């Protein structure tokens, strides 16, 4: 069965007002009843509907309309669309190839450790798993917990980097604000700050820390007294030997 045109009633209104096609021809093209088309022509139906030009919308050609007007037994044919809109895919759980399913627990463990802000639903979307499996891995009650190794799901091919970044960003936005006064862990400074001209100039201008202790003040009297004592001890030793 041929598909009807876009907005069949609006198309029928335009064909009734602008062509000499029979009611049967319009009804067949718009997939309406001939009596309904007659009611449109009599003003008893579709009074508030504005006509849609099927030529402008690319559903009919002028030649097709003229051919049908010359032959009352001819049936209009819907012009094939130049562009096809892909059908919306039904959303469902992510399909994971059989060869990759054994890697899902490792990916879940990686996500739980490195991104604790992610919700179970987000992890389920990323790696195509179930909530009981996530809870078992998080609580270390999974049957294979002793052998699990955290592995990046992007590296494993279970999700793309864009999908992971989007989920992490979404989780960060939905995270509760940090309480006031809470200590924030210090992290490394950004590369832009550590490699800027001012930072490099300050680093080279700063004197290098010395590992040697500062020179203590030397007491000359104490040094000479020690030398004299050592000299006298050496002389006494020579006399004993003689």
């Amino acid at each position: 069965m041929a598909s009807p045109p876009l907005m069949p009633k609006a198309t029928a209104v335009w064909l009734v007002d602008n062509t000499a096609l029979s009611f049967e021809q319009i009804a067949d093209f718009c997939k309406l009843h001939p009596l309904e088309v007659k009611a449109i022509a009599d003003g008893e139906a579709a009074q508030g509907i504005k006509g849609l030009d099927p030529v402008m919308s690319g559903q009919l050609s002028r030649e097709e309309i003229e051919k049908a007007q010359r032959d009352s037994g001819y049936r209009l044919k819907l012009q094939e669309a130049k562009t096809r809109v892909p059908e919306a895919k039904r959303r469902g759980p992510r399909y994971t190839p059989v060869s990759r399913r054994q890697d899902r627990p490792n990916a879940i463990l990686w996500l739980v450790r490195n991104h604790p802000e992610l919700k179970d639903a987000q992890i389920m979307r990323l790696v195509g798993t179930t909530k009981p499996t996530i809870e078992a891995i998080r609580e270390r009650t999974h049957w294979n917990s002793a052998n699990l190794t955290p592995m990046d799901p992007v590296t494993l091919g279970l999700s793309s980097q864009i999908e992971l970044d989007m989920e992490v960003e979404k989780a960060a936005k939905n995270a509760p604000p940090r309480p006031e006064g809470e200590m924030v862990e210090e992290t490394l400074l950004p590369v832009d700050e550590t490699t800027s001209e001012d930072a490099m100039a300050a680093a080279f201008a700063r004197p290098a820390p010395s590992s040697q202790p500062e020179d203590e003040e030397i007491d000359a009297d104490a040094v000479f007294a020690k030398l004299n004592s050592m000299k006298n001890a050496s002389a006494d030793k020579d006399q004993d030997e003689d």
Side-chain angles (χ1 to χ4, degrees), residues 52-117:
L52 174 65
D53 186 353
V55 178
M56 293 294 295
S57 60
Q59 301 179 92
L60 276 178
S61 62
R62 291 286 182 185
E63 294 77 10
E64 186 75 5
I65 294 176
E66 293 174 357
K67 184 177 180 179
Q69 289 180 146
R70 290 193 298 267
D71 183 4
S72 59
Y74 182 79
R75 294 295 179 256
L76 293 167
K77 296 179 182 178
L78 185 65
Q79 191 172 359
E80 188 174 353
K82 296 181 180 179
T83 58
R84 293 185 178 274
V85 179
E87 296 182 0
K89 295 183 178 180
R90 182 181 177 183
R91 298 191 63 180
R94 176 188 292 273
Y95 172 76
T96 304
V98 177
S99 59
R100 294 291 185 183
R101 291 178 186 177
Q102 60 183 358
D103 296 330
R104 282 189 297 193
N106 295 330
I108 297 171
L109 182 59
W110 188 91
L111 291 171
V112 168
R113 288 188 179 181
N114 292 276
H115 295 287
E117 71 277 9

Side-chain angles (χ1 to χ4, degrees), residues 175-185:
R178 189 183 299 273
E180 295 183 1
E182 183 177 348
M183 295 296 295
V184 180
E185 296 183 0

Side-chain angles (χ1 to χ4, degrees), residues 9 13 35-49:
K9 287 190 177 181
V13 170
L35 293 178
E36 188 174 2
V37 177
K38 184 177 183 302
I40 292 175
D42 294 339
E44 299 175 358
Q47 294 180 359
I49 297 178

